[in-house]
Amino acid sequence: MGYMLTIEPLGATLEVEEGQTLLDAALRQGIYLPHACGHGLCGTCKVQVCDGEVDHGAANPFALMEGERQEGKTLACCATLQSDAVIEADIEEEPDAEIIPVRDFQATVQAITALTPTIKGLRLALNQPLHFQAGQYVQLDIPGVGARAFSIANAPADVERTRSIELHVRQVPGGAGTTWLHQSLQVGDALKLSGPYGRFFVRKSSPAPMVFMAGGSGLSSPRSMILDLLDGGCTTPITLVYGQRSREELYGHEEFLALAAQHPNLRYVPVLSNEPEGSDWAGARGYVHEAAKAAFPQGFAGHKAYLCGPPPMVEACIGALMQGRLFERDIHTEKFLSAADAGAVRSPLFKNV
């Protein structure tokens, strides 16, 4: 038995299956609701229940406080319907966003590549075509662990041609999901996944020059986005500032050196934060935000910025961008959230970053 859900201010009505979360039901109809962690921890997906009854599920009491529950608020990522209902969500129009319903896929592991000592590349063959916007991610169902989010690292044209996706997985110390993928997954294994998810994509309608800032395996989304731009013949200036701890962790380096040599509009700025002194590394040292400030001595005004990586890196880059006269409307982020990160209090000053 299901219930009917109306989402305002869109006026859209959809059927929600018993036990299905409001967020999952909306995304599978191509309706985007703001969200981040997907596990009831961060509060990004908070909506107002205007009519009807919901079960709040596993909502963290700090992400959804008791007073908010009494006011009729709930978290779409873990709330389920107990009756027909009407909710109001903070949905902003995005003219560059495609309406792509989330679907389920069967995948077979085609290849596993050691990109660095801590990052593996997975090539997964899909049982059906996947359409997505470069920068989006999938939820991979890891046996015995549950769903984990990983950005698609190859360009949409490559996915369409090969019907396979590439994921970059950094092994998180103590992380059950990434440990299983690094230590147990084998070529030929079958996996389940769903997607595409996310609101991280290039605003192609804007003529502004672009600066991408990435750290660690956060290179995956910018790689897909930049390859997609270059595949489409983009001539707008693009800068990639990419940070790792050491040279052995700097995967994709040769690829971006070659791309920058081939495309005059692409500038590539690699930076290492913990490279041993006296090594033969001749590039920038320090952190991504520091290298970006050095690469843009006149500031960032007039650009569009796309940030992807661990939350401390993203926060430092946001600060550098704002000091350089670039503000929220032109800054777009994709943070790699652990459970601890997701539970952190978000700043009330920013809606998007």
Side-chain angles (χ1 to χ4, degrees):
M1 175 182 173
Y3 297 105
M4 301 306 295
L5 174 67
T6 300
I7 302 175
E8 299 294 355
L10 300 178
T13 300
L14 56 141
E15 185 172 357
V16 181
E17 298 176 5
E18 185 175 359
Q20 184 180 28
T21 67
L22 310 187
L23 178 62
D24 185 65
L27 294 177
R28 290 180 181 276
Q29 293 295 318
I31 299 172
Y32 178 80
L33 298 181
H35 62 282
C37 76
H39 301 290
L41 297 171
C42 70
T44 305
C45 65
K46 196 173 296 177
V47 297
Q48 178 71 44
V49 180
C50 304
D51 188 39
E53 299 294 328
V54 303
D55 182 335
H56 296 294
N60 184 285
F62 294 101
L64 184 68
M65 293 182 287
E66 184 59 35
E68 293 177 312
R69 298 171 191 238
Q70 294 175 1
E71 292 171 358
K73 293 181 172 59
T74 195
L75 301 185
C77 73
C78 53
T80 56
L81 292 185
Q82 303 297 297
S83 69
D84 292 348
V86 178
I87 64 171
E88 185 174 359
D90 187 11
I91 302 174
E92 292 187 357
E93 288 291 330
E94 282 280 7
D96 292 294
E98 294 186 37
I99 299 174
I100 309 175
V102 167
R103 293 185 294 156
D104 296 317
F105 296 83
Q106 302 288 332
T108 303
V109 182
Q110 282 186 324
I112 302 175
T113 306
L115 299 175
T116 80
T118 63
I119 300 173
K120 286 190 175 181
L122 309 182
R123 174 70 72 157
L124 307 180
L126 304 178
N127 66 324
Q128 58 181 315
L130 167 64
H131 178 64
F132 73 104
Q133 287 188 270
Q136 291 189 294
Y137 65 91
V138 296
Q139 291 273 8
L140 191 63
D141 187 9
I142 302 175
V145 177
R148 295 293 185 271
F150 297 99
S151 298
I152 302 171
N154 47 336
D158 183 58
V159 174
E160 181 178 351
R161 178 177 58 82
T162 65
R163 196 179 286 188
S164 64
I165 59 172
E166 184 178 336
L167 309 178
H168 297 167
V169 181
R170 181 179 72 87
Q171 185 167 7
V172 178
T178 60
T179 297
W180 187 89
L181 292 171
H182 270 250
Q183 297 182 3
S184 301
L185 187 68
Q186 301 291 324
V187 172
D189 285 352
L191 292 169
K192 297 178 180 179
L193 59 89
S194 61
Y197 295 94
R199 207 68 159 176
F200 191 54
F201 54 85
V202 175
R203 274 59 179 179
K204 293 183 177 180
S205 63
S206 171
M210 292 165 277
V211 54
F212 292 84
M213 301 181 185
S217 58
L219 179 65
S220 50
S221 288
R223 179 180 186 265
S224 177
M225 298 158 90
I226 291 170
L227 291 176
D228 183 49
L229 288 166
L230 298 178
D231 284 347
C234 174
T235 58
T236 303
I238 302 169
T239 299
L240 169 64
V241 185
Y242 170 43
Q244 281 281 18
R245 288 177 55 81
S246 63
R247 178 65 185 87
E248 67 176 354
E249 292 287 341
L250 193 71
Y251 76 96
H253 182 59
E254 288 74 18
E255 177 184 29
F256 278 101
L257 286 174
L259 287 170
Q262 181 182 354
H263 299 275
N265 62 316
L266 175 62
R267 178 172 55 156
Y268 170 52
V269 182
V271 56
L272 303 180
S273 64
N274 200 35
E275 177 69 3
E277 293 296 334
S279 75
D280 60 359
W281 175 250
R285 293 173 181 261
Y287 295 99
V288 172
H289 67 285
E290 296 169 336
K293 288 168 69 174
F296 290 87
Q298 304 304 316
F300 302 97
H303 287 74
K304 283 281 188 183
Y306 301 91
L307 284 52
C308 189
M313 184 220 85
V314 170
E315 296 299 334
C317 288
I318 291 172
L321 289 168
M322 297 187 74
Q323 290 171 11
R325 308 301 296 170
L326 194 69
F327 301 108
E328 184 185 1
R329 67 179 180 274
D330 293 316
I331 302 173
H332 307 282
T333 70
E334 185 77 289
K335 297 179 185 178
F336 285 4
L337 295 173
S338 68
D341 297 323
V345 177
R346 301 180 72 226
S347 169
L349 298 177
F350 303 114
K351 293 171 61 179
N352 301 323
V353 303

